[in-house]
């Protein structure tokens, strides 16, 4: 969905990594796959203790083998000298044992980077080189900026956006009112569904407390939940595999959105839909959030954002440890199995 970005040096690559991850990494080891001179799978783990360094290889190697890249770039982000070296060396040995080529190994510390495998003072001075700010390489990050993508300062900031916000208590009260009404008379599926065109409208108003409650209740209908996944994420599930009633509902949703030129094929529309799903998740109390968080995780993973998918699934499974869709999605993310459009 993006135009090609040509990276000509480790310096430019390091400027892009926060955009790929969604946040600025610290105390991390990052692996990037290269295939046909293109960046592919990007993975990040917290730096382990030196005695646990082999766990990095055990965690990252299976997905790297599955990806079958031409080569791999390893980056260690550390706060103290040498903190990343045990993990880098452990993963290096594992990659070499699996006959996988390492393109480069970089270490980032105190705003400077150096290569472990380049010893030329002209390009890799002993004191390292400055990690560029976005403003230093505007041509490299302009594609991300143009799409409204900006990395969070850290992973904790990324996770906070899907945690319950100030409106969660009001939505909880609205849900209790709906449940009392539901005891008297079940809300028809078609009425529950009407909330989604409003929530997913990129030009619509802020999500109301009542709409957030209706959305949460609608996702208790497994067919509506699965149809939402099918509509948002082509390649995961076909709408034609679901019942005629729910197919009809989502056919009208698709028509309504396309009428405003905001179908999911558009990158701009995808960004807007993602923002609205994040806002919805932050409005929901923990006891009602797992379905919406799972839909958000599926959508962003379909788009290739493993970091946001992981934090959404972390909250979903904290709220409801046995929620099957969240469990399945977490396995897909951990194994780097990402659906693609048919």
């Amino acid at each position: 969905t993006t135009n090609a970005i040509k990276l000509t040096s480790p310096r430019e690559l390091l400027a892009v990594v926060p955009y790929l991850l969604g946040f600025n990494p610290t105390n991390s080891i990052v692996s990037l796959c290269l295939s046909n001179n293109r960046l592919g799978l990007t993975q990040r783990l917290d730096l382990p203790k030196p005695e646990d360094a082999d766990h990095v290889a055990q965690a990252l190697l299976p997905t790297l083998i599955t990806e079958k890249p031409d080569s791999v770039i390893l980056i260690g982000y550390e706060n103290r000298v040498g903190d990343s070296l045990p993990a880098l060396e452990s993963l290096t040995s594992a990659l070499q044992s699996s006959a996988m080529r390492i393109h480069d190994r970089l270490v980032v510390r105190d705003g400077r980077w150096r290569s472990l495998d380049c010893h030329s003072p002209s390009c890799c001075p002993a004191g390292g080189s400055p990690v560029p700010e976005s403003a230093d390489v505007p041509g490299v990050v302009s594609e991300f900026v143009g799409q409204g993508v900006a990395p969070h300062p850290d992973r904790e900031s990324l996770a906070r956006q899907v945690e319950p916000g100030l409106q969660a208590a009001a939505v909880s009260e609205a849900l209790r009112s709906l449940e009392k009404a539901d005891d008297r008379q079940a809300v028809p599926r078609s009425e529950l569904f009407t909330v989604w065109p409003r929530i997913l409208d990129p030009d619509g108003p802020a999500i109301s407390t009542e709409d957030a409650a209706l959305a949460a209740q609608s996702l208790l209908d497994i067919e509506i939940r699965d149809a939402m996944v099918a509509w948002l994420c082509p390649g995961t599930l076909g709408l034609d595999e679901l019942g005629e009633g729910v197919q009809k509902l989502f056919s009208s949703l698709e028509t309504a959105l396309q009428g405003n030129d905001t179908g999911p094929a558009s990158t701009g529309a995808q960004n807007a839909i993602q923002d609205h799903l994040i806002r919805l998740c932050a409005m929901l109390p923990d006891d009602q959030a797992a379905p919406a968080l799972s839909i958000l995780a599926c959508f962003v993973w379909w788009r290739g954002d493993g970091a946001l998918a992981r934090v959404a699934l972390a909250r979903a499974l904290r709220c409801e440890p046995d929620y099957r869709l969240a469990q399945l999605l977490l396995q897909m993310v951990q194994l780097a199995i990402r659906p693609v459009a048919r």
Side-chain angles (χ1 to χ4, degrees):
T1 58
T2 60
N3 297 322
I5 301 171
K6 185 177 290 187
L7 303 177
T8 60
S9 67
R11 176 177 178 271
E12 293 181 346
L13 173 68
L14 291 170
V16 166
V17 167
Y19 290 89
L20 298 176
L21 294 176
F23 60 94
N24 287 284
T26 57
N27 281 315
S28 304
I29 184 163
V30 175
S31 65
L32 303 101
C33 293
L34 286 174
S35 296
N36 298 319
N37 291 321
R38 291 179 178 271
L39 284 176
L41 176 70
T42 301
Q43 300 183 94
R44 186 212 69 93
L45 287 176
D46 291 339
L47 283 182
K49 297 177 181 177
E51 60 269 25
D52 297 326
D54 287 344
H55 293 173
V56 167
Q58 294 170 14
L60 297 180
L61 188 61
T63 50
L64 291 173
I65 292 174
T66 300
E67 186 77 1
K68 298 179 180 178
D70 296 335
S71 61
V72 178
I73 298 173
L74 303 178
I75 309 174
Y77 290 84
E78 59 184 31
N79 289 337
R80 296 178 301 182
V81 176
D83 275 359
S84 66
L85 291 183
L88 286 170
E89 293 297 344
S90 179
L91 189 51
T92 295
S93 297
L95 290 171
Q96 290 173 340
S97 298
S98 301
M100 299 183 70
R101 190 169 76 87
I102 298 174
H103 182 85
D104 206 347
R105 299 183 303 163
L106 308 175
V107 173
V108 179
R109 183 181 65 255
D110 294 335
R112 303 183 74 82
W113 68 271
R114 65 185 180 92
S115 171
L116 294 180
D117 302 314
C118 176
H119 306 289
S120 171
S122 61
C123 64
C124 297
S129 302
V131 175
E133 300 288 340
S134 297
D136 299 330
V137 284
V140 173
V141 302
S142 60
E143 182 69 21
F144 296 98
V145 174
Q147 293 179 37
V149 177
H152 287 260
D154 50 42
R155 190 178 187 276
E156 289 70 25
S157 174
L158 181 73
R160 279 196 297 271
Q161 66 181 332
V162 298
E163 290 296 321
L166 297 176
Q167 294 172 289
V171 173
S172 183
E173 182 61 34
L175 278 162
R176 282 194 288 271
S177 298
L178 280 175
E179 288 166 1
K180 290 177 183 176
D182 201 13
D183 287 340
R184 297 190 295 270
Q185 181 177 0
V187 180
R189 172 186 274 179
S190 58
E191 184 177 330
L192 287 173
F193 178 80
T194 58
V195 69
W196 286 106
R198 295 194 293 273
I199 288 178
L200 299 180
D201 180 0
D203 301 316
I207 302 172
S208 68
T209 297
E210 293 73 19
D211 276 356
L214 276 174
Q217 192 173 55
S218 76
L219 295 179
L220 298 177
D221 183 327
I222 299 301
E223 272 208 311
I224 287 183
R225 183 203 69 183
D226 290 351
M228 186 67 68
V229 169
W231 186 79
L232 287 171
C233 314
T236 54
L237 177 69
L239 272 174
D240 56 359
E241 299 174 43
L242 302 171
E244 288 187 10
V246 78
Q247 285 186 50
K248 185 176 181 180
L249 290 174
F250 276 82
S251 175
S252 65
L253 172 62
E254 186 171 7
T255 300
L257 289 180
Q258 285 180 342
N260 292 320
D261 193 27
T262 56
S266 158
T267 299
Q270 290 176 11
N271 291 342
I273 287 171
Q274 178 173 311
D275 288 345
H276 289 201
L277 290 175
I278 289 171
R279 287 180 213 155
L280 173 64
C281 290
M283 293 177 71
L284 298 181
D286 280 347
D287 62 342
Q288 297 288 337
L293 287 161
S294 298
I295 287 174
L296 170 64
C298 190
F299 182 54
V300 299
W301 180 234
W302 178 79
R303 300 190 73 195
D305 189 340
L308 182 52
R310 283 180 182 274
V311 298
L313 292 172
R315 184 188 171 205
L317 290 171
R318 188 187 74 226
C319 297
E320 198 168 334
D322 296 325
Y323 196 67
R324 293 287 299 277
L325 179 57
Q327 291 176 335
L328 175 62
L329 287 168
L330 182 59
Q331 290 182 35
M332 292 177 66
V333 174
Q334 289 175 336
L335 296 172
I337 300 172
R338 189 162 67 87
V340 295
R342 293 172 176 172

